[in-house]
Every structure is written in C-alpha cells, then in structure tokens.
Amino acid sequence: MGLKKRSRRGVQDEKKERELKRKTSSFQDEYNSSKYVDEEILKDQNEKEELEQHLRERDSAKTRRFAERKKVSRNSNAAKDNEDVETLRKVSRQEYLKKREEKKLQELRDYIEDEHYLFEGAKLSEVEYCDLRHKKETYNILSKKELLKSVHNEYRIPEAFDDRNGVINQEKRFSVAMQRYTDPNTEKEEPWEEHQIRKATLKFGSKNKRRESDDYQFVFEDHIDFIKAFVMDGDKSDFEEEIALEKSRVKRSVLEALQEERKKLPIYSFRDELLQAVHDHPVLVIVGETGSGKTTQIPQYLHEAGYTKHGRMIACTQPRRVAAISVASRVSQEMGVKLGHEVGYSIRFEDCTSKKTILKYMTDGMLLREFLVQPQLESYSVVMVDEAHERTLSTDILFGLVKDLAPARPDLKVLISSATLDAEKFSNYFDLAPIFKIPGRRYPVEIHFTKAPEANYLDAAIVTTLQIHATQPPGDILVFLTGQEEIETVEEILKHRMRGFGTKIADLIICPIYANLPTELQAKIFEPTPEGARKVVLATNIAETSLTIDGIKYVIDPGFCKMKCYNPRTGMESLLVSPISKAAAKQRAGRSGRTSYGKCFRLYTAYSFLNDLEDNTAPEIQRTNLGNVVLTLSCLGIENEKLFQFEFMDPPPVEAITKAVELLYAQNALNVGGKLTKVGRRMAEFPLDPMLSKMIVASEKYKCSDEVISIAAMLSVGNSIFYRPKDKQVHADNARMNFHTGNGGDHIAHLNVYNSWKESNYSTRWCYENYIQVRSMKRARDIRNQLAGLLERVEIELTSNSNDLDAIKKSIISGFFPHSARMQKNGSYRMVKNLQTVYVHPSSGLTKVLPRLVLYNELVLTTKEYMRQVTEIKPEWLLEIAPHFYNPKHFEELSSKKTQWM
DNA sequence: GAGCACTGC
C-alpha cells in the first residue's frame, strides 16, 4: 500500500516539477524579450513560489521518513511495530549483510592461508607485509565479534583524494592546490594574515563522530609494550595563571596588557640580577628553556638599561629566518613602535631596518656577513647569540670570531643563550664565563620506552600510532620519520588500515609534512582537528625545531634521522640514516608538552637510550665542506697557520681545512703566501661555494656573466627544481628532457629552465606544466637578483652571450676544473685526478649520451658514487684553463684510445 | 634507472 501511494505521489511531483520547469523557462524567455506586464510576472512568481514551497515540504517529509526508517533499522526491537514492508526490507538486508559478512570472512580465511603458504621463500614488500597483517587482524576482530555493524557504511573522509583501493589521485589532489594559480592575476603571494585567518576558520567536512570503543575492544595481534620511564619536568601552574591573565587582558589597552604580560614571564624576576651580571662580565652564558622569554626580553632590558646609547645597536641572532621576523615583530609590538624603526630585522633578501634601529634581530649567517664589512662590529654594543645549542655552521664560526674579537673590543658585551645541556661547554670555551640560569615553562612529558628492541621501526611506529588512537584520550600524534619516502609509505599503510576499521574507530587525519612538500599541502597540518577525530602528523626533522604544531600530545620517536656527512678525502657527500642523539631525543619529546601534559613513546629501549645514543649530535662544522668557511675566514685575515689555530669550539677535521685551502689555492684565490688574492677577495663577496663564486668571477673574461649567474643561482637552490610525482614519472621525465635539447649538459639545461621561466613571465602555471617547483624557481630568481647586485659591487659587467655555449662552459670549468671525470670502457667514469670510479646520476640528461670527458657539479654517495649535474667538456679546455692542475699526460688515453681501463 | 633530512648567506 504504502509503496504504491508513494510512487503515485512521486509521479504527481514529477509532473509538477516539469510544469514548474516549463513555466520558469518560458517565463524567463518572455521576460527576456520584455513583452510581459508586471502583473503577469507577479502572478507567475507567486505560482513559482507556491510550487517551490510544495517541493520543499515534500522533500522534508521524505527526509523525515528516511530518518525514521533508519532509526528503526538501528533498533531491532522496534521492528515489530512497523509496517510489513519495512520489516521485510530490514530482514532481507540483515540476511544480505550476513551473507556478505560470511563471504568476506571466507575470503579473508582463504587469503591468509594462501599468504601463509606463499610466505615461505617469498619476500614481501613493506606494504604487502603490513597488508597481510592487517587482514589477519581484521579477521580476528570479525571472527570474534558480531559482524553486522562493521561492514556497511564504510566511512570515508570527505575530500580525501584517493579512491577506495588506496590509489592516490595525484591529479585531483593537485588540481585543488593549483586552483590558486589558475588566474594569472592572483599569482602574487597572498598576505600571510589572510591566509592564516582562512586556515583558522576553515571547517572540516568530517562528522563529529561518537567513539564506540565501549562496544569493541580491538585485538591487535602485534602490540608493543611500553614502560613508563620517567616524567620530564615541567611547570604547569604558570600556564594557568597566564590563561587567566589572557582572559582579563581583553578589556585593557593592548600595550598596557603587553607590558603586564611581560612581567609575568619567568625572566622578569631575574631582570636586575641579569643586568648586573651583564655589567660585570664581558661574556655571559644564559640557560633558559623555551618559553622563558629570553629572546624577546633580554634585548629590551638591555635597551632600558642604556646599552643602546651613543647610537650603538643590540644584535640578536637566530638560526632561522622566520624566527628572526616573528620575534622582531613581537618585540616591536611590546615596545609600541613600528617594525623596522627602533626594532628591525635583517635576513637575506630582506633588510627591515632603518637608521633609527637599536634592536636588530638577524639570522646568524647575516651577522657573519657583517663581520666582513666591519670586522670590529663597531656599530654594536651587545651581541646575543640565541639558540646556540643548535650549533649551526654560522654560530660556530661566530663563536670563534667573537672570542677573537674580545680583546680588541672590551666594551662589547656577548651573550650566549642556549637551552640547557651544553652550558658548561660554552662556559669553558669562553674562558669560564658565568652561567645564568632562567627557569623554563613547560608541561611535563611522560617518557615511555619499549620493553624490548623493535626490529622494524616503521612497523612499530604504525602499530604504536593505532595503539594510541584506540586507547589514549584525544590529542594529536606526531611521528618522526627520516624522509619523504618513509612518510609516504607510512601514510599509505595507515590509510589502508584505518579503512579496514571502518566506522568503529574515530577518524584519523593523516598529515604528511616535509620541506619539499608543496606549500599548499603543507598548510594542512595547521588546520584545527575536528572534534571527535584525531590528527597524526608524519614529519621529518622539520618538526624538531623549525615548526611548531599546536595540539600535539603524543610523540612517537623511532630514534632515527638522516644526516649529511662529508668525506674531505674524496670530496663526497652522503646522506645517511643514523641514530639521533640524546639531546635530539629530548627535543623531540618536548614537542608534546607545549600546550598540555604530553606523552612520548620511544621505539627503543631505555638501555639503548643510555648506552647507544651519543649525548649530542656532531656539530655541522665537523661534517661539511669548509670551502666557504675558509674563504670567509681568509677574508677576515685568518689565513695560513692562523686558520689551523683558530679556536673552534669543536674543531673540524684538519683534512677538511687542508682540502679547502688546497682548492682555494688551485683556484688562484690564495697566493703562495696564503694571502687572499684579488680574485679571492672578489669571490668572498658572493655567498656561495667557492667553486660557484670562481665560476662567476671568471665569467667576466668570457663575457657571459648574465648566463653564469643564472646557472649559479639554479645550482645553489639545489636539487628540488624538478618535481616528479610518483604516478607521473614518465611525463615529468619527458618534460625535463625538453630542456636538454642539443645536449649541452645539465648546466645548460638549468639555464634553459631559468630562461624559459623568465620568458613565460615567471609564470606559476608554466612551472606546473613543466613539472617544475615554483618555490625553487622563485628562490633562484631571488638569488639571481642578489648575485646581479653583487656583480656590480665587484665591478663585473653584466654581459650576455647566450649563443656561445663554449664560453659558458669555459666559465664553469674555471670554477669546477677539479671535478672532471672521463669515461671508461664499461660506461662508468673515473676521476681524472684521483682515479676514483664514479657514475653519471640517472637524473642527468646525459645518462644515454655518456661523453668521453665530463665535468660535474657534485658527487653524492647513495647506492653508488654518482656525479650530479654533468656537462660534456673538451680536454683542451682543461689544459687551457687549469694548466697548473692538469698536464697533457692526463688525457693521452683519450686521444689514442689504446689503453683500456678495466 | 635513482632517490633528495634541515637550515643559512
């Protein structure tokens, strides 16, 4: 009965709808031809509204009925009271579901048996292995528990750009990201605030789902046992006070409130003591954890105490650009001045200071460059090196220089600020400078270790994530992984497994984050987590220091990271997965205690924490190419034996310094006496590796400085120019090969990329079409502009000679001549000078050409020794440009071809 | 036929 009734009504509705459509369309037609009088329009409109009202009512009735039916089907006891049809429908559905469930179970059983059989001898990949495990778990759960609820209504996160089989639809994904760029007029960066506001107000389509953990207990086949080891200290009460203050703050004027807030910082009570200590000692080591307010307050205190009189500035260095900007803007607010006036910042490409500036926040590398201009730092009365524990290359050199400077500038005050641990070491280095301690403000963090060592940390990380998700109270999870590849694998497996759990478990929003991820996709991690769901952030080391994510309550630390190592003997760089240090582990754990009480799960045992991990990570200066460092120091008059006596806090290997000196000597940057030559002085102006600087300086002779600085800019942005998504590798490779026309080599290809981009009017769209990363290109443009400015400074004319590729290559050779290799019989290469076997990197455009003699940009050790960025050259050129380095004997075999290398 | 952690000038 009911069915029939409904269907008749449906027909009626359809009729009315058609009528309405006809009416409205004819109405529009007539209206357009403007023949209708107002009255009739009104009549038509009334009719239209009436009809619409009717349709609305019908729809809402429908929804109501639908909802009722749903409610009924949920509650099986109420089924009897319903219409026969409904009961029938429900029963049949139950039967259907039951059957489907049985079938699924049978399938799983078969699958597991098959897999088990296959297991012997067959090696499964990471994904396959996890997949199998997941299937087993699902089987366990399904076979033990009642089946009905788990199957239907498989929940999917709206706007997940992947289909049900787990295949990521990259195109769809990026079409969203690219929407911003489709209109060339909106290509400019949107203001940061606007972006932030949008991010903050963005609503998720996800449901506020109720957790059904009461109904089920998940049976994980693999469960990792953790031991709660200890609780890392924190101080919570201060935070509550601050929140109370924050609330009362609203009514008062902003400035007043800011001043009030300043007084609430832990450092405030130490103000006078601190100023006294600064007054008494030339060097002071300050220990204060994040949140103590040292970065923002100390410079202000010093200013208030009169250290900025006589027009001298207070410098405060930060290891990162964003930190310098944000701290400067905060302090300018607190002081009630405009950013760039009394308080300013100075970073590469951007100098936001003026003559009025007295507090200058800057990146540490920037202060290092200032040393070149004013070796005595005359315009500063105080230098504060912040975040010194991070031990970047620049801070380490700054330490040496500042210590060196102390006798000449007794009035200069030096503050070294660091977060715990190293304080003693800093103090010892600066001739037992006093240590000033400021208590920090952080929530306590519970540290858990595994009971037994985990064989596969990736797998353990996944299991732990799900374990936390299923058993722990709400709060986001942060997982530290080593690189892009791992992140992608884990993301895939997690998604797969979550899909298996269906609706029985709260949503898990997976956010990958690494530096090379396009900016649009990076923004995802800052979106607030919808209620009822949980966010898991899969991050590289970027989350250790560079960015802070709110709401993180759980940290999973597998204990590994990728580290760059440099071998000065071979000049080879390699990126190795290695265990982290205790200091880094502590830093990682601390990321969970920023907004509330946190927990850190370490996927290694307490024993190996104590016995296997180093205390501190080896500072960068000990594992990097020192070419630029030696050039800078030489420019400051630290040359020859002084270079080897220079007081580094942790001296780099002697070999590394020797190698750098040798190179500079070969490049005619140093003379026989070890003094800087005119060439060397010009080279030091460029913030680049000496080889690139030399290439630019040499371009003057070949009249192609325009092209060469483009190449230098492209090479110094590194290897993130070409974008190569997993599912479009062929297209990306084809696009890349377009720049290799004529096979001038990879250097020329880079030039082609830059010039084409320039011709496209720096279009973002062009980048997407050619699989090129916009961010890298913009960076290259910035660097190029800076280099062009510096050319003027060293009085090199900007000349273009784009048709003469040989001239460009010769300029490159002038800088890179030690990097030559010639082909051997079997397609491998051998370096001309030190006879090491190397290979052309597969990303090069010359992999199929294999010229007899090549020049490379850098050597990397991955699976083999690879040359990256390769260009064909001629032996005559090497003999012409570097006669002191090569002699004809080196190339005899090339011309006679008789001798063969095996 | 291979992989690219993170900064900074």
Side-chain angles (χ1 to χ4, degrees), chain A residues 594-642:
Chain A
R594 294 192 63 89
T595 42
S596 69
Y597 189 86
K599 281 184 187 175
C600 174
F601 296 87
R602 293 183 174 155
L603 304 181
Y604 39 88
T605 57
Y607 180 86
S608 59
F609 175 78
L610 286 173
N611 298 290
D612 301 345
L613 299 190
E614 300 283 334
D615 284 342
N616 285 296
T617 318
E620 195 184 356
I621 197 159
Q622 292 184 332
R623 45 188 176 88
T624 189
N625 178 358
L626 293 177
N628 197 8
V629 173
V630 170
L631 186 62
T632 313
L633 291 179
S634 301
C635 206
L636 289 164
I638 298 159
E639 43 208 8
N640 288 329
E641 67 278 0
K642 271 200 247 166

Side-chain angles (χ1 to χ4, degrees), chain A residues 759-773:
Chain A
E759 272 165 36
S760 79
N761 204 13
Y762 306 114
S763 146
T764 307
R765 194 162 196 168
W766 179 90
C767 289
Y768 280 110
E769 279 160 8
N770 290 283
Y771 292 86
I772 287 185
Q773 301 231 30

Side-chain angles (χ1 to χ4, degrees), chain A residues 148-305:
Chain A
L148 252 176
K149 292 181 196 167
S150 66
V151 211
H152 63 136
N153 279 340
E154 183 182 319
Y155 184 76
R156 288 179 79 227
I157 297 171
E159 289 309 306
F161 303 114
D162 40 13
D163 65 26
R164 269 155 204 269
N165 302 321
V167 181
I168 291 162
N169 188 341
Q170 212 54 271
E171 203 179 347
K172 211 166 156 193
R173 256 190 184 184
F174 274 88
S175 70
V176 174
M178 278 159 66
Q179 274 165 10
R180 263 177 75 189
Y181 297 102
T182 43
D183 179 8
N185 297 326
T186 59
E187 222 175 68
K188 279 189 195 141
E189 296 285 349
E190 59 194 53
W192 186 80
E193 291 89 338
E194 258 179 55
H195 186 62
Q196 294 291 323
I197 289 166
R198 260 193 320 115
K199 256 161 38 188
T201 50
L202 193 84
K203 292 280 186 302
F204 253 81
S206 178
K207 314 260 187 328
N208 295 345
K209 208 153 4 85
R210 197 168 51 85
R211 286 186 69 183
E212 298 178 22
S213 47
D214 312 340
D215 305 348
Y216 289 94
Q217 181 156 23
F218 285 101
V219 185
F220 287 111
E221 196 172 76
D222 43 357
H223 176 92
I224 298 176
D225 285 327
F226 284 97
I227 312 170
K228 179 171 158 187
F230 57 90
V231 175
M232 225 159 77
D233 288 340
D235 186 355
K236 206 176 144 209
S237 58
D238 272 5
F239 267 83
E240 277 155 8
E241 272 175 43
E242 201 197 350
I243 291 166
L245 182 75
E246 184 81 25
K247 279 176 186 164
S248 70
R249 187 171 81 92
V250 187
K251 287 173 194 164
R252 270 176 276 166
S253 85
V254 177
L255 192 63
E256 205 181 303
L258 281 172
Q259 291 303 329
E260 202 63 34
E261 218 168 279
R262 278 183 67 192
K263 289 180 188 163
K264 280 283 169 187
L265 286 167
I267 196 173
Y268 182 73
S269 47
F270 297 91
R271 183 178 187 269
D272 298 332
E273 251 176 277
L274 182 82
L275 286 173
Q276 189 59 43
V278 173
H279 180 264
D280 294 345
H281 304 95
V283 182
L284 194 63
V285 177
I286 298 166
V287 175
E289 296 204 18
T290 28
S292 62
K294 55 185 161 49
T295 316
T296 53
Q297 302 308 306
I298 293 176
Q300 291 189 63
Y301 295 166
L302 293 170
H303 162 62
E304 287 155 17

